[in-house]
Amino acid sequence: MKDWYKNFKSKFKIVIVHPETYEEKGRFNMSKMKFTNMVIVYSLILIAITTCVIFFTSIRELIPGYTDVTLDRRVYYMERRADSLEQVFYHQNQYIENLKRIINGEEVDVDIKRTTIYPSQPQMNVTKILTYFVPVNGLVTNHFNSNNKHYGVDVVANADAVIKATADGTVVFSDWSVNGGYVIGIQHDNNIVSVYKHNASVLCHEGDVVKAGDAIAILGDSGTTSTGPHLHFELWANGRAVNPEDYISFEGK
């Protein structure tokens, strides 16, 4: 053992010579122990550098089992965007359902109204929101009565009278329905919707932007619930039907 240790510590002369001329280029003394220690130290340094490079740079992504260092953050933002899109999609569907209920003369469900197109909106005085244009001049033969689920007024006028938009807005419904016949629905500012039923024909399409007084339909007698040529007109504010006669005089000149 002593001889081995002594031999391990003994020094050797290492000479560097040119392979052809045998000219000496350099020399140095080194023991086996010193050489072994140098190998161990440099190996540890190399391992430390390699470990730092792997853990603190994107090179780690090349090692099986490791993922993108920014993956968690990107997944988090993607989940947030997906949640937002899901909420938007849900609200849009509920908005469409609300419009269908309004077109069919039904009250908007309170829970739907709270979470969709009427979120946290206080009940407003409708007269302060819009300046109303008379959709058609005529005789009111059936008045607003929410108890009987008659959410509008029936106005009898001259045959083929032109129905006009009561305020500026966007047409959100322009189609045939079994009960209401040819129906027009217009979305106005501040969650107000006006509805025109039993028309003989419609003059505008969904997505059209109209101004107060623009011609939108021709008075008629379409739909199974119509008993003669007239306009059934409804006004909805924040998801609730209001009496149009509180804001519009249909028998004006």
Side-chain angles (χ1 to χ4, degrees):
M1 178 64 71
K2 291 182 180 180
D3 293 338
W4 176 86
Y5 183 71
K6 184 178 179 180
N7 183 49
F8 190 65
K9 291 182 62 178
S10 61
K11 295 183 179 180
F12 295 89
K13 181 181 290 185
I14 301 175
V15 180
I16 301 175
V17 297
H18 192 279
E20 295 181 358
T21 63
Y22 297 101
E23 179 184 359
E24 185 176 322
K25 297 296 184 180
R27 66 173 61 194
F28 56 91
N29 298 326
M30 181 176 292
S31 66
K32 293 180 179 180
M33 178 179 289
K34 186 177 180 179
F35 177 78
T36 303
N37 290 338
M38 288 178 60
V39 171
I40 293 174
V41 170
Y42 285 123
S43 298
L44 291 175
I45 293 174
L46 180 61
I47 291 173
I49 294 175
T50 304
T51 302
C52 291
V53 169
I54 290 175
F55 277 96
F56 299 106
T57 68
S58 59
I59 293 179
R60 65 184 299 181
E61 300 172 22
L62 302 177
I63 301 176
Y66 284 97
T67 57
D68 187 350
V69 293
T70 62
L71 181 61
D72 291 342
R73 182 175 58 188
R74 287 190 289 143
V75 169
Y76 170 74
Y77 285 120
M78 289 177 64
E79 288 179 348
R80 290 191 61 184
R81 291 187 64 185
D83 289 342
S84 298
L85 290 173
E86 183 179 3
Q87 288 296 321
V88 171
F89 181 72
Y90 173 78
H91 289 169
Q92 288 178 340
N93 282 343
Q94 294 299 332
Y95 175 77
I96 294 173
E97 290 300 320
N98 260 348
L99 289 178
K100 289 180 179 179
R101 293 172 72 91
I102 290 174
I103 296 300
N104 292 327
E106 302 173 1
E107 283 280 6
V108 176
D109 182 77
V110 175
D111 291 334
I112 295 178
K113 181 179 63 178
R114 185 182 298 115
T115 58
T116 56
I117 62 174
Y118 314 111
S120 65
Q121 287 274 0
Q123 291 295 325
M124 305 177 190
N125 184 343
V126 182
T127 59
K128 294 181 180 180
I129 300 174
L130 297 174
T131 300
Y132 293 99
F133 193 94
V134 183
V136 66
N137 288 315
L139 176 67
V140 177
T141 58
N142 195 1
H143 300 275
F144 176 87
N145 189 336
S146 59
N147 293 329
N148 293 333
K149 296 186 177 181
H150 190 258
Y151 298 119
V153 294
D154 293 337
V155 183
V156 175
N158 295 329
D160 298 329
V162 176
I163 307 300
K164 300 177 181 179
T166 193
D168 298 351
T170 302
V171 178
V172 293
F173 188 88
S174 178
D175 206 345
W176 169 271
S177 68
V178 175
N179 293 331
Y182 287 107
V183 179
I184 296 288
I186 300 177
Q187 174 77 58
H188 308 287
D189 291 339
N190 300 301
N191 291 330
I192 295 177
V193 176
S194 59
V195 181
Y196 315 75
K197 297 182 177 181
H198 306 306
N199 302 294
S201 61
V202 294
L203 305 178
C204 56
H205 306 282
E206 293 180 10
D208 289 350
V209 177
V210 296
K211 297 291 185 180
D214 284 354
I216 58 173
I218 302 297
L219 186 142
D221 184 28
S222 61
T224 58
T225 59
S226 178
T227 57
H230 73 287
L231 168 67
H232 176 86
F233 177 76
E234 298 176 3
L235 197 61
W236 296 73
N238 289 325
R240 293 192 179 278
V242 297
N243 186 355
E245 290 184 275
D246 290 342
Y247 314 103
I248 302 173
S249 176
F250 292 91
E251 299 179 11
K253 296 181 180 180

